[in-house]
Amino acid sequence: MTDSLLRTRDGHHARVGFVELFFDLVFVFAVTQISHSLLHHLTWEGAIHAAMMAAAVWWSWIYTSWVTNWADPERVPVRVALFVLMGLGLLMSTSLPEAFTEKGLWFAVAFVATSMVRSGFMLFAARDNAMLKRNFLRIIIWQIFSGVFWIAGGLMEGEWRVGLWLAALFIEYISPAMFYRVPGLGRANTAEWTVEGGHMAERVGLFVIICLGESLLITGATFAEATWTPEVIAAAAVAFVGTLAMWWIYFSAAHEAASEVISKASDPGTLARRAYTYCPILIVAGIIVTAVGDELSLVHPTGHVEPAVAAVLIGGPLLFMIGGLLAKLAVFERWSIPRVAGCVALAALWLAAPFVMPLGLAALTTAVLIAVAGWETWSLRTA
């Protein structure tokens, strides 16, 4: 139909629109807020709070990316909907640092409103597509269910808020795996999800670039304010090279191949759900934690490595590597030997942590990232 708000599936790659890139800018701020919050609260409690916020922010973003995989962002109503979601996303992002204190209700309301606006709009946009309309009716019912826990958590304090929000996140993340099953409406059939693999791969890739860019911003800003001693210069170089290595690993030839596999799959929805909905959260979390580790090694490159510092210096790259390993497994259904070896090597660095300085530990994790990137590149060239 000429008035359809949905993309046409004509066999050509659906390009990412400028309005989608504009929408992503809100999440640059969100990622920065999370990394700064973790940096200033480097405790188990702070780590749990940061992980929960990262999970919520990622979920809000990836759901919108699924929507723009179906809805055409060149149509004015779709753009207006994205602008409304941007405003709600900005409110959500600004409340992140105090989400577990006085701005919890603001965060919860912004998150739930984002879900309702997004899914409600898709019910309208897909009004002539029975499959999509029925699917988003199931989705909005699940989101109303989780929304009760989000709002209740925003009204409570302390451990009650954490518990209720953990329940909300569990409902959010389990709903796709449950195929949005609703009594009377049945369950979704992922084989009917007409996913454009190239668009989805590009959207997730752009979010990864946002996170890597935020890592570079932290490195640059911290380095600019520091006294440029040889140790500080070395720490900045290590952080920069480590970011380059993560980019190299993520945007390998496998990234392009994955979009082709999904595009030609008999059940693209299942592949896209595994590879681009669940797995990237570990990649994103890894980059955020690595950025915190980079700043810590820049501020204190020498001296004893505290356990919390070791946790972020090793944990960030390890989370990134595990996420990349699982994403590759989800698409190609085989284990990546270089990435398995990288996970093992990074985990083994816990044994070295008591004997090196923060700069030394950061250099070792970067060396592992470089080795994995080089190994994968060499393997592809000799295959």
Side-chain angles (χ1 to χ4, degrees):
M1 296 179 62
T2 56
D3 61 345
S4 175
L5 299 179
L6 304 180
R7 292 181 186 266
T8 57
R9 301 302 195 200
D10 54 8
H12 294 89
H13 170 59
R15 70 181 183 88
V16 175
F18 291 118
V19 68
E20 293 174 87
L21 299 176
F22 189 39
F23 171 82
D24 288 351
L25 292 178
V26 170
F27 290 87
V28 176
F29 182 47
V31 169
T32 302
Q33 293 279 70
I34 294 169
S35 62
H36 285 178
S37 177
L38 178 59
L39 180 65
H40 296 136
H41 302 89
L42 205 57
T43 62
W44 281 112
E45 183 182 51
I48 292 171
H49 290 177
M52 291 173 64
M53 293 300 96
V57 166
W58 167 257
W59 208 240
S60 181
W61 182 87
I62 193 61
Y63 256 101
T64 307
S65 295
W66 275 88
V67 163
T68 55
N69 195 271
W70 284 308
D72 185 357
E74 297 304 314
R75 300 301 305 275
V76 171
V78 179
R79 288 187 171 184
V80 172
L82 285 175
F83 292 156
V84 172
L85 292 175
M86 281 182 70
L88 292 171
L90 187 60
L91 176 60
M92 184 169 61
S93 299
T94 52
S95 63
L96 280 171
E98 298 171 285
F100 289 91
T101 52
E102 61 263 27
K103 292 183 179 176
L105 185 58
W106 284 103
F107 174 83
V109 168
F111 184 92
V112 173
T114 298
S115 299
M116 295 298 102
V117 169
R118 184 178 53 234
S119 297
F121 175 79
M122 277 304 296
L123 284 175
F124 167 73
R127 60 194 182 278
D128 297 317
N129 186 313
M131 183 274 295
L132 271 182
K133 183 178 179 180
R134 188 166 55 252
N135 192 48
F136 273 93
L137 181 59
R138 298 186 189 99
I139 289 174
I140 202 168
I141 290 172
W142 275 86
Q143 290 174 336
I144 291 171
F145 180 39
S146 66
V148 172
F149 289 86
W150 283 116
I151 299 300
L155 292 170
M156 303 297 285
E157 296 181 355
E159 294 180 357
W160 276 102
R161 178 173 297 175
V162 173
L164 288 165
W165 281 1
L166 283 173
L169 283 170
F170 177 78
I171 295 167
E172 295 278 357
Y173 273 76
I174 199 66
S175 56
M178 296 290 291
F179 301 95
Y180 302 105
R181 188 186 300 274
V182 174
L185 292 175
R187 47 163 277 180
N189 183 358
T190 54
E192 297 176 349
W193 294 359
T194 52
V195 177
E196 217 304 315
H199 177 268
M200 188 64 74
E202 190 174 354
R203 292 297 292 125
V204 174
L206 288 170
F207 195 87
V208 170
I209 286 179
I210 285 174
C211 296
L212 290 173
E214 194 271 341
S215 179
L216 289 175
L217 286 174
I218 287 181
T219 298
T222 306
F223 183 52
E225 295 178 359
T227 302
W228 289 9
T229 63
E231 293 82 6
V232 169
I233 294 172
V238 165
F240 177 68
V241 174
T243 303
L244 296 183
M246 286 192 290
W247 180 93
W248 195 286
I249 291 169
Y250 186 85
F251 292 98
S252 64
H255 177 70
E256 293 297 327
S259 65
E260 291 296 322
V261 170
I262 292 175
S263 298
K264 297 176 181 178
S266 59
D267 188 358
T270 294
L271 278 178
R273 184 188 62 189
R274 289 201 309 250
Y276 292 127
T277 302
Y278 286 119
C279 295
I281 181 61
L282 293 176
I283 295 172
V284 169
I287 296 172
I288 292 173
V289 175
T290 300
V292 174
D294 289 342
E295 183 164 0
L296 289 172
S297 66
L298 270 162
V299 174
H300 301 291
T302 60
H304 177 68
V305 179
E306 298 294 332
V309 175
V312 293
L313 285 173
I314 298 173
L318 182 57
L319 281 171
F320 172 84
M321 195 66 68
I322 293 172
L325 172 66
L326 295 178
K328 205 168 181 179
L329 175 64
V331 176
F332 302 106
E333 298 182 341
R334 63 177 182 269
W335 293 97
S336 168
I337 300 303
R339 297 187 185 194
V340 170
C343 291
V344 173
L346 287 167
L349 289 181
W350 282 102
L351 300 175
F355 307 103
V356 296
M357 299 183 297
L359 172 58
L361 189 56
L364 288 172
T365 59
T366 295
V368 172
L369 292 171
I370 293 171
V372 172
W375 188 350
E376 286 199 332
T377 302
W378 176 81
S379 298
L380 289 170
R381 287 177 179 266
T382 56

